[in-house]
Amino acid sequence: MTPTRSSRSRNPWVAAGLGLTVLLAGCGDSSETEQEQTEDTGSSIPQPEYDADDSVRLPLAMISPAEQSQDAPLEEDGSLEGSGAPGSPVEESNGQQAHEIEIARTEAFGCGDTLSVIQTVPMVTEDPAVAALEYLISDELYSHGSPAFGNPLSASDELRVDSVELEGDTVTVQLSGETVTRSECESWQILTQIETTARAATGATGSEVLLEGQPLAEVLGLGPTQSPVEIREIID
């Protein structure tokens, strides 16, 4: 089963906890040609794969903690610990509970922010892109963990995901309702959060986000968007 087209389907589990997976950051292959590097600009991570039981881990884009290095996890063992960490805990060999994090990171955008792409525990859904966006909107917490991952979309609880459609390499998100934002910086965070989550859930390299049929960037009073924000996969 391949998640390529989604329609709005609000499910009761969207506020459920997360288990998050982390891999250490790796450097790009220095043997890449200039042409290959150009083609990779704006590239997305591979779309999530379904397991044999038809479950899939949803990718969520959250604002990266300011204290977190681009090339390292938060802790030496790659885990985010503490009661403030989101989701179902992972039991470690030492008996402690931890939450693993981050499979990808975007380049800087807006006011110098970056987004971390993290994964949920496996969930059964036919619409991973819609389900991921609905989780972020339905999330009751603005921040998770310490240092904190941010979810500015959590304030827009009147926002609705009508559809997420993939055509070629571009994913189009259709929204209705109202977004809540406190500043231009947060508006950039919300827009890029939606774009990055939709791209990560579908494998798209480009995106378009519409609110009531109008470009979300215009609704939020933002200037023209530049080329797609690059998403860098974190690999071993």
Side-chain angles (χ1 to χ4, degrees):
M1 186 183 302
T2 303
T4 57
R5 178 185 175 111
S6 304
S7 60
R8 179 171 179 259
S9 176
R10 185 165 295 278
N11 296 313
W13 54 260
V14 292
L18 302 179
L20 308 175
T21 302
V22 67
L23 297 173
L24 294 180
C27 299
D29 186 351
S30 59
S31 64
E32 281 186 323
T33 65
E34 182 176 345
Q35 180 179 2
E36 288 172 332
Q37 291 173 339
T38 300
E39 291 175 349
D40 285 344
T41 300
S43 63
S44 184
I45 60 176
Q47 64 188 128
E49 296 182 358
Y50 281 91
D51 292 329
D53 61 357
D54 288 334
S55 67
V56 61
R57 293 180 181 270
L58 306 180
L60 307 176
M62 292 189 178
I63 304 301
S64 306
E67 299 88 345
Q68 187 171 5
S69 168
Q70 172 73 30
D71 299 319
L74 286 172
E75 305 289 344
E76 290 183 1
D77 62 356
S79 64
L80 174 64
E81 299 182 358
S83 59
S88 302
V90 177
E91 191 75 25
E92 295 196 328
S93 57
N94 60 7
Q96 296 182 349
Q97 293 180 337
H99 299 260
E100 296 178 313
I101 58 170
E102 196 164 19
I103 60 170
R105 178 83 63 87
T106 70
E107 65 181 346
F109 65 90
C111 299
D113 296 303
T114 63
L115 288 166
S116 296
V117 179
I118 57 181
Q119 289 183 314
T120 68
V121 295
M123 297 181 176
V124 177
T125 176
E126 295 182 357
D127 304 311
V130 168
L133 290 171
E134 288 187 336
Y135 171 84
L136 292 171
I137 294 169
S138 300
D139 187 10
E140 295 182 356
L141 299 176
Y142 180 89
S143 62
H144 294 272
S146 178
F149 289 90
N151 179 19
L153 265 174
S154 64
S156 298
D157 56 1
E158 296 300 319
L159 194 63
R160 298 292 179 265
V161 183
D162 294 329
S163 67
V164 180
E165 299 184 5
L166 179 66
E167 184 174 350
D169 294 328
T170 300
V171 60
T172 300
V173 180
Q174 299 274 2
L175 304 169
S176 59
E178 183 179 358
T179 57
V180 176
T181 178
R182 298 172 296 183
S183 66
E184 181 177 344
C185 291
E186 191 166 83
S187 293
W188 279 114
Q189 292 174 353
I190 290 171
L191 174 62
T192 313
Q193 197 180 6
I194 295 171
E195 292 177 333
T196 302
T197 298
R199 287 171 57 198
T202 59
T205 57
S207 60
E208 181 179 24
V209 182
L210 303 175
L211 177 61
E212 307 285 0
Q214 299 297 315
L216 181 58
E218 293 182 7
V219 175
L220 294 174
L222 302 174
T225 58
Q226 300 177 349
S227 57
V229 173
E230 183 178 357
I231 304 174
R232 304 183 181 98
E233 187 176 9
I234 297 175
I235 58 177
D236 285 326

